[in-house]
Amino acid sequence: MNYMPLDLSVMQPEPFPHPVMMRFDLHPRKQPSREEKRGVCSGSVCGALRALVRQCWEDAERRKLVMNILSVAGACVFGLMAVGVFWLAVEMDNSALQASKPSCSIKP
Protein backbone atom coordinates (compact mmCIF):
# COMPACT_ATOMS: atom_id res chain seq x y z
CA MET A 1 0.00 0.00 0.00
CA ASN A 2 1.42 3.34 -1.07
CA TYR A 3 0.77 6.40 0.97
CA MET A 4 0.65 9.86 -0.54
CA PRO A 5 2.50 12.57 1.36
CA LEU A 6 0.21 15.06 2.99
CA ASP A 7 0.43 18.49 1.42
CA LEU A 8 -0.34 21.10 4.06
CA SER A 9 0.04 24.04 1.73
CA VAL A 10 -3.39 23.45 0.23
CA MET A 11 -5.12 23.39 3.61
CA GLN A 12 -6.41 26.74 4.80
CA PRO A 13 -7.77 27.27 8.30
CA GLU A 14 -11.39 28.24 8.62
CA PRO A 15 -12.04 31.62 10.15
CA PHE A 16 -13.34 31.53 13.69
CA PRO A 17 -17.05 32.43 13.56
CA HIS A 18 -17.07 34.49 16.78
CA PRO A 19 -15.10 37.60 17.61
CA VAL A 20 -12.22 36.81 19.91
CA MET A 21 -12.11 38.90 23.07
CA MET A 22 -9.00 38.75 25.14
CA ARG A 23 -9.11 38.96 28.91
CA PHE A 24 -7.85 42.52 28.98
CA ASP A 25 -10.66 43.43 26.58
CA LEU A 26 -13.24 42.03 28.99
CA HIS A 27 -11.82 43.89 31.97
CA PRO A 28 -10.20 47.08 30.80
CA ARG A 29 -7.46 48.30 33.07
CA LYS A 30 -8.05 51.68 34.59
CA GLN A 31 -5.32 54.24 34.40
CA PRO A 32 -3.61 54.81 37.77
CA SER A 33 -4.15 58.16 39.36
CA ARG A 34 -1.34 60.49 40.31
CA GLU A 35 -1.44 59.31 43.94
CA GLU A 36 -1.29 55.67 42.91
CA LYS A 37 1.67 56.39 40.67
CA ARG A 38 3.49 57.86 43.65
CA GLY A 39 2.59 54.83 45.76
CA VAL A 40 -0.18 56.42 47.80
CA CYS A 41 -3.36 54.36 47.80
CA SER A 42 -6.71 55.97 48.06
CA GLY A 43 -9.24 54.35 50.30
CA SER A 44 -9.54 53.55 53.94
CA VAL A 45 -8.46 49.90 53.61
CA CYS A 46 -5.11 50.75 52.03
CA GLY A 47 -4.53 53.53 54.54
CA ALA A 48 -5.40 51.20 57.42
CA LEU A 49 -3.03 48.55 56.08
CA ARG A 50 -0.24 51.09 55.73
CA ALA A 51 -0.86 52.30 59.30
CA LEU A 52 -0.83 48.71 60.58
CA VAL A 53 2.42 47.91 58.76
CA ARG A 54 3.99 51.12 60.08
CA GLN A 55 2.84 50.29 63.62
CA CYS A 56 4.24 46.74 63.39
CA TRP A 57 7.52 48.12 62.05
CA GLU A 58 7.75 50.62 64.91
CA ASP A 59 6.96 47.88 67.45
CA ALA A 60 9.70 45.68 65.99
CA GLU A 61 12.18 48.57 66.12
CA ARG A 62 11.18 49.28 69.72
CA ARG A 63 11.61 45.61 70.67
CA LYS A 64 15.00 45.55 69.00
CA LEU A 65 16.06 48.66 70.92
CA VAL A 66 14.83 47.21 74.23
CA MET A 67 16.67 43.93 73.57
CA ASN A 68 19.88 45.84 72.81
CA ILE A 69 19.54 47.88 76.00
CA LEU A 70 18.83 44.76 78.08
CA SER A 71 21.78 42.88 76.59
CA VAL A 72 24.13 45.78 77.34
CA ALA A 73 22.74 46.04 80.88
CA GLY A 74 23.18 42.28 81.37
CA ALA A 75 26.76 42.45 80.15
CA CYS A 76 27.47 45.32 82.56
CA VAL A 77 25.94 43.43 85.50
CA PHE A 78 27.94 40.31 84.62
CA GLY A 79 31.15 42.35 84.43
CA LEU A 80 30.49 44.04 87.77
CA MET A 81 29.79 40.67 89.41
CA ALA A 82 33.00 39.19 87.95
CA VAL A 83 35.04 42.14 89.20
CA GLY A 84 33.35 41.90 92.61
CA VAL A 85 34.09 38.19 92.95
CA PHE A 86 37.71 38.75 91.92
CA TRP A 87 38.06 41.63 94.42
CA LEU A 88 36.53 39.49 97.19
CA ALA A 89 38.93 36.61 96.45
CA VAL A 90 41.92 38.97 96.55
CA GLU A 91 40.74 40.53 99.82
CA MET A 92 40.21 37.14 101.45
CA ASP A 93 43.65 35.98 100.33
CA ASN A 94 45.20 39.23 101.54
CA SER A 95 43.54 38.93 104.94
CA ALA A 96 44.77 35.31 105.24
CA LEU A 97 48.30 36.47 104.44
CA GLN A 98 48.05 39.27 106.98
CA ALA A 99 46.87 36.85 109.67
CA SER A 100 49.77 34.45 109.15
CA LYS A 101 52.41 37.21 109.23
CA PRO A 102 53.86 37.92 112.67
CA SER A 103 52.69 41.21 114.12
CA CYS A 104 56.16 42.27 115.18
CA SER A 105 58.89 42.16 112.59
CA ILE A 106 61.78 42.81 115.00
CA LYS A 107 64.51 40.18 114.80
CA PRO A 108 65.85 38.85 118.15
Side-chain angles (χ1 to χ4, degrees):
M1 183 175 213
N2 291 336
Y3 291 102
M4 282 185 59
L6 184 60
D7 187 14
L8 297 177
S9 63
V10 293
M11 297 179 64
Q12 295 294 325
E14 293 182 14
F16 194 66
H18 306 291
V20 177
M21 293 187 71
M22 302 302 281
R23 183 174 181 177
F24 56 84
D25 292 334
L26 296 174
H27 304 285
R29 187 174 179 171
K30 71 171 191 147
Q31 294 297 322
S33 66
R34 204 173 345 164
E35 291 84 16
E36 289 173 341
K37 284 181 184 176
R38 285 187 288 149
V40 177
C41 292
S42 60
S44 62
V45 173
C46 189
L49 284 176
R50 284 185 185 270
L52 183 62
V53 167
R54 187 178 304 118
Q55 182 183 3
C56 289
W57 182 263
E58 290 170 357
D59 287 347
E61 289 294 320
R62 212 173 298 128
R63 283 189 200 118
K64 191 159 78 171
L65 179 66
V66 167
M67 289 302 293
N68 285 340
I69 290 172
L70 288 177
S71 64
V72 168
C76 290
V77 167
F78 178 77
L80 286 174
M81 286 181 61
V83 168
V85 167
F86 179 74
W87 177 78
L88 184 61
V90 168
E91 281 297 316
M92 289 175 68
D93 190 37
N94 191 22
S95 63
L97 286 174
Q98 292 295 329
S100 66
K101 190 192 278 189
S103 60
C104 179
S105 61
I106 300 173
K107 293 184 180 179

